[in-house]
Amino acid sequence: MGLDFSKIKTFSAHSRNNLTTLENMLDPQTHTAPPIPDRYAEAFAELVKRIKKARQNGRPVIFSMGAHVIKLGLSKYVAALMDGGIITHLAGNGACSIHDFELAFAGGTAEDVPTAIEDGSFGMWEETGRWMNEAFIMGMQNKKGYGEALACFIDRSPEKFPYKDDCLLYRAHKLGIPCTYHVAIGTDIIHQHPAANFAAIGFTTGQDFKIYCESVSKLDGGVFLNFGSAVIGPEVFLKALSIARNLGCPTFDITTANLDLVELGDFRVKIGYDDQNYYYRPRKNIVNRPTSCGGWGWHFAIDHRVSLPNLFEKIL
């Protein structure tokens, strides 16, 4: 039968010391982006050009990300790109939704994991786990996706979320931009909570996958950006692309870009199983395989605190 989760002890997130707060976020209006490294300058300029062209032609720009975009204090840059009509679909893993949700109610997120894991307190936050799981149950009842379920939960209890305007999923909801989260059971702290409802989590993230597939099916002439998600992002994208092509949707004239810290060398050269870079999913699933019949893919080994501010400054 497995362990009894009802005995798990939780603690208030309001008592936690947060590593990322609204106060230490980077502000696009006052922060100046460090320069793009010379070796990437030409390719990055071409990527910016393609993003501009895509939006001028009414084509989508899908922004997929890992949680470090938020943990590094870059939420306001993503928000600005949504506000400016550049990002047409926001996607992330479960951790993205958690950090974003915590910012909305607590004004801070990200704990010190190395110390918290020692006594079993890591991730045991009462408000985060209970409220998010309540949102998913309501979402399942109303046949909504994961992202929309969280945004609607915030709308129903605005007094609990004084910082909701700095929450990306809520901002996307208000702008009418699809915001989807793609979750693997057991990977997120809200799966540790006594209130965890795995049926609701599975249903809502499944709905989000369908929404995501619809956006990918319209990607011809558009751009797919992946900021730091090394597993969930590239795996979900490749499956969605296969579904789109299976259904006959034109998705070959596409631009893809993976932005991460991993150095890949010449990422266009075919490599074998004996090369460790073969197993780095974004190389295959974002840069190379999706563009084998057209389009163009890039990999940029650049810190998000350099790449994302530059993307904002050069486009908006």
Side-chain angles (χ1 to χ4, degrees):
M1 294 294 292
L3 284 176
D4 181 4
F5 278 27
S6 66
K7 298 178 181 179
I8 293 174
K9 298 183 290 294
T10 63
F11 312 91
S12 174
H14 292 290
S15 65
R16 184 183 65 202
N17 178 42
N18 295 305
L19 303 180
T20 302
T21 66
L22 296 179
E23 288 73 26
N24 62 27
M25 280 186 175
L26 297 180
D27 188 341
Q29 304 306 319
T30 58
H31 178 70
T32 301
I36 292 291
D38 290 343
R39 61 184 172 133
Y40 292 122
E42 184 177 348
F44 197 86
E46 177 62 24
L47 175 62
V48 167
K49 180 180 176 181
R50 289 176 180 234
I51 293 172
K52 288 181 178 180
K53 181 180 179 182
R55 295 309 298 129
Q56 288 166 358
N57 294 336
R59 307 314 300 155
V61 173
I62 299 175
F63 189 99
S64 170
M65 65 177 180
H68 274 85
V69 171
I70 296 175
K71 291 175 71 176
L72 290 172
L74 295 166
S75 289
K76 291 184 178 180
Y77 280 98
V78 180
L81 289 167
M82 289 196 294
D83 292 343
I86 303 303
I87 294 174
T88 63
H89 185 124
L90 184 64
N93 56 20
C96 290
S97 68
I98 292 166
H99 290 304
D100 201 27
F101 189 83
E102 287 188 336
L103 283 171
F105 76 78
T109 188
E111 61 191 291
D112 184 34
V113 178
T115 55
I117 195 64
E118 292 174 353
D119 62 3
S121 63
F122 163 59
M124 304 300 183
W125 308 113
E126 173 60 20
E127 297 87 354
T128 309
R130 187 165 301 281
W131 292 349
M132 290 185 75
N133 278 287
E134 287 177 3
F136 302 142
I137 293 170
M138 294 179 192
M140 181 170 63
Q141 292 169 346
N142 294 304
K143 294 181 169 55
K144 295 185 182 297
Y146 187 113
E148 186 180 6
L150 291 174
C152 290
F153 185 86
I154 293 172
D155 254 342
R156 280 191 292 268
S157 306
E159 72 284 354
K160 294 180 179 177
F161 301 93
Y163 313 105
K164 63 182 183 297
D165 292 334
D166 290 296
C167 173
L168 295 177
L169 67 90
Y170 186 75
R171 200 183 200 100
H173 179 68
K174 291 302 179 182
L175 290 169
I177 295 172
C179 180
T180 59
Y181 295 99
H182 309 280
V183 175
I185 298 297
T187 60
D188 299 320
I189 63 167
I190 58 172
H191 305 163
Q192 305 170 178
H193 199 279
N197 187 308
F198 299 111
I201 294 168
F203 178 88
T204 52
T205 195
Q207 291 294 100
D208 269 8
F209 181 57
K210 294 179 181 179
I211 296 167
Y212 180 85
C213 287
E214 182 177 5
S215 291
V216 171
S217 74
K218 301 173 182 176
L219 198 55
D220 213 51
V223 179
F224 179 84
L225 303 171
N226 183 62
F227 275 78
S229 180
V231 178
I232 294 291
E235 291 293 351
V236 172
F237 176 58
L238 199 69
K239 277 65 172 185
L241 190 63
S242 182
I243 290 171
R245 291 177 177 176
N246 179 277
L247 294 174
C249 303
T251 53
F252 296 101
D253 178 21
I254 63 177
T255 297
T256 65
N258 183 64
L259 301 100
D260 204 348
L261 293 176
V262 179
E263 293 283 354
L264 294 180
D266 187 349
F267 51 84
R268 301 193 197 283
V269 173
K270 187 175 181 178
I271 56 178
Y273 299 136
D274 58 336
D275 190 320
Q276 64 181 7
N277 288 328
Y278 177 86
Y279 303 96
Y280 179 64
R281 287 169 173 82
R283 186 185 193 276
K284 297 181 291 185
N285 293 2
I286 293 174
V287 180
N288 293 326
R289 287 172 176 169
T291 58
S292 62
C293 295
W296 199 254
W298 281 287
H299 173 75
F300 298 94
I302 307 175
D303 191 298
H304 297 331
R305 289 166 293 191
V306 177
S307 57
L308 193 46
N310 269 281
L311 204 65
F312 165 78
E313 289 185 9
K314 296 179 187 305
I315 295 176
L316 296 177

